[in-house]
Amino acid sequence: MISQQTIDAIFQAAHVEDIIEEFVHLTKRGVNLKGLCPFHDEKTPSFTVSPARNIYKCFGCGKGGNAVTFLMEHEGLSYPETLRYLANKYNIPIEETALPEEYEFEKQERDSLYLINAFARDFYGKQLFETDLGKSIGLSYFKERGLLRKTLDSFELGFASTNRDELTKTAIQAGYNIDLLRKLGLTNDHDRDFFFNRVMFPIHNLSGKVVAFAGRHLINDKKSPKYINSKESDIYHKSKVLYGLHLAKQAIRKEDYCLLVEGYTDVLSLHQSGIENVVASSGTALTVEQIKLIKRYTRQIKILYDGAAAGTKAALRGIDLVLEQDMNVELVLLPASEDPDSYIKKVGVTSFRDYLDQEAKDFILFKTNLILKEAGNDPVKKSCFN
Ligand SMILES: [Zn+2]
């Protein structure tokens, strides 16, 4: 158990406005700060933070509390996990008192799930950097894509070996519970590893904890999909996660827009080039929950499409949802046969930013043009726009 002394130090250090600002865009109103409530839907801010009293209160839905209760409720962390998160943030060493034995077994399951994912992340990282296979297959793939060690470390990338039960065995040896490994989808029903022979992309929540993994295989095998993802669990709901957001959130607020791309590697290469306000919806069509995540930091979204996707209706899926959330949406189409990675390498970051500014098209105009084009000379369809 965490000692009372440590808990007191944490409560003293934790400023409610520091904590909440990581998740909610706050603006100054007199002595208080105000923002859109993350706990209920609203268009005008009634979520109020008082630095002087070190508390928050929403006058819309009534939620209120301090830094600790905010993190527990908002991030779904347990009390001890929240204390650890804050201790880490404020560099407070954690002093543990001896634990009554039964506590060991009563640790909350969610905490255990996060711990196992962290273990798996470290395991896959070691496979990538310290094994021959990891280096010759995984690391050379990332290097070919021009990714630097710094980027691999920031995104905590890894490699799952060809051995089909290595993670499961190692985790069990280290004392982790097989049922929880199965719950996370890391181990299948036959007690073998779900991910093998793939480069691994951990998927993080807003506070940077690993909630799931995506694995990309590097062989040309039409029978197995290029990317596979962890199944949903108590800590992973794919419609509520955006890839890269934990590293992008500060930049999104600073630039006051969020750049949405299609692939994990697009996020990596743009981030590495210095465009950090970038996220991907990781294979799913954009969801309302994902848009709400972005909305905490900005009301502007630029959606970047490969030249190949230009003008297709599929590319526009999900955008009506964004508009319903009262967000400004612009589309940017890359020149034909370019993707974000190839294009930024070709023109460099300054021209890339210029391109984003100059080529961004208002979504409503874009869509109207598309429908008009489809309607052709059909007077009935066309009349909808007169
Ligand atoms: Zn509220």
Side-chain angles (χ1 to χ4, degrees):
M1 260 163 61
I2 300 172
S3 76
Q4 191 55 43
Q5 221 172 358
T6 306
I7 296 174
D8 292 343
I10 290 168
F11 270 87
Q12 219 156 45
H15 292 292
V16 69
E17 69 275 21
D18 285 357
I19 304 302
I20 294 179
E21 276 210 308
E22 293 212 10
F23 304 98
V24 181
H25 179 56
L26 297 171
T27 46
K28 203 139 176 62
R29 295 276 172 85
V31 295
N32 292 330
L33 301 158
K34 274 199 158 189
L36 290 173
C37 178
F39 301 115
H40 85 280
D41 255 323
E42 62 177 5
K43 290 192 173 161
T44 47
S46 45
F47 183 80
T48 307
V49 176
S50 162
R53 299 169 65 197
N54 214 14
I55 54 165
Y56 66 94
K57 170 90 186 164
C58 173
F59 293 96
C61 66
K63 289 254 158 73
N66 57 29
V68 171
T69 55
F70 180 86
L71 285 169
M72 288 174 68
E73 182 138 13
H74 191 267
E75 292 297 282
L77 300 177
S78 69
Y79 183 61
E81 273 292 310
T82 306
L83 293 176
R84 281 175 211 284
Y85 174 92
L86 289 168
N88 184 38
K89 183 178 167 77
Y90 291 104
N91 292 315
I92 297 167
I94 293 180
E95 206 183 82
E96 305 257 3
T97 57
L99 219 53
E101 208 164 308
E102 65 268 23
Y103 270 99
E104 279 294 350
F105 302 98
E106 282 177 11
K107 273 196 177 165
Q108 293 203 13
E109 187 168 302
R110 288 171 65 92
D111 292 356
S112 306
L113 295 176
Y114 284 120
L115 282 175
I116 293 176
N117 271 346
F119 176 84
R121 171 203 62 204
D122 294 345
F123 176 83
Y124 293 136
K126 275 199 191 118
Q127 297 276 322
L128 177 66
F129 294 111
E130 293 171 18
T131 68
D132 289 341
L133 202 64
K135 283 188 253 185
S136 65
I137 300 177
L139 210 47
S140 61
Y141 165 77
F142 289 130
K143 277 190 181 148
E144 262 168 47
R145 306 215 50 145
L147 296 170
L148 305 173
R149 175 71 194 244
K150 182 174 65 115
T151 309
L152 306 185
D153 288 340
S154 305
F155 287 87
E156 304 186 312
L157 303 180
F159 181 73
S161 82
T162 48
N163 204 332
R164 289 217 50 193
D165 56 7
E166 204 160 350
L167 172 76
T168 303
K169 269 192 182 157
T170 316
I172 288 170
Q173 267 163 18
Y176 292 101
N177 179 319
I178 182 96
D179 291 329
L180 298 182
L181 282 154
R182 290 195 195 109
K183 274 191 182 170
L184 288 165
L186 289 167
T187 301
N188 69 18
D189 294 339
H190 308 288
D191 293 351
R192 311 190 86 185
D193 293 353
F194 177 66
F195 295 103
F196 61 98
N197 201 20
R198 285 172 185 269
V199 284
M200 299 296 293
F201 301 79
I203 297 170
H204 304 82
N205 65 11
L206 270 179
S207 51
K209 281 184 186 298
V210 178
V211 293
F213 293 90
R216 183 196 200 281
H217 76 188
L218 302 173
I219 35 165
N220 230 345
D221 177 2
K222 291 212 172 82
K223 272 183 269 167
S224 82
K226 193 153 99 175
Y227 280 97
I228 54 174
N229 278 55
S230 301
K231 65 179 184 183
E232 300 221 320
S233 69
D234 287 347
I235 58 169
Y236 177 51
H237 306 283
K238 66 178 175 202
S239 62
K240 295 183 181 169
V241 173
L242 282 162
Y243 182 71
L245 186 56
H246 68 300
L247 295 178
K249 58 191 186 185
Q250 312 294 359
I252 292 172
R253 184 172 297 152
K254 196 166 142 250
E255 305 283 337
D256 197 19
Y257 77 89
C258 176
L259 186 61
L260 187 72
V261 295
E262 287 175 274
Y264 303 114
T265 49
D266 295 331
V267 173
L268 301 178
S269 63
L270 292 185
H271 182 98
Q272 179 173 294
S273 307
I275 295 186
E276 293 183 3
N277 53 331
V278 59
V279 301
S281 69
S282 66
T284 60
L286 204 57
T287 67
V288 172
E289 287 98 339
Q290 290 168 339
I291 298 157
K292 284 183 175 164
L293 281 177
I294 298 173
K295 197 176 170 182
R296 293 187 198 165
Y297 303 101
T298 182
R299 293 205 167 223
Q300 329 282 334
I301 301 185
K302 282 185 186 163
I303 305 181
L304 190 58
Y305 288 118
D306 296 359
T312 66
K313 270 195 165 167
L316 305 180
R317 229 182 294 144
I319 300 182
D320 286 320
L321 291 175
V322 186
L323 293 171
E324 281 169 22
Q325 291 300 311
D326 231 0
M327 306 272 285
N328 292 326
V329 193
E330 291 179 313
L331 301 185
V332 185
L333 297 174
L334 286 170
S337 80
E338 298 285 358
D339 60 46
D341 180 49
S342 67
Y343 194 58
I344 199 161
K345 282 191 181 119
K346 194 177 191 175
V347 302
V349 64
T350 311
S351 304
F352 191 87
R353 278 188 204 277
D354 290 345
Y355 187 86
L356 290 179
D357 291 340
Q358 285 155 17
E359 293 298 312
K361 300 260 191 318
D362 178 81
F363 168 67
I364 302 205
L365 284 177
F366 184 90
K367 194 175 175 188
T368 309
N369 284 338
L370 189 71
I371 295 171
L372 276 178
K373 218 188 286 169
E374 270 182 7
N377 289 326
D378 184 331
V380 180
K381 282 186 186 167
K382 211 172 168 182
S383 67
C384 303
F385 298 96
N386 290 338

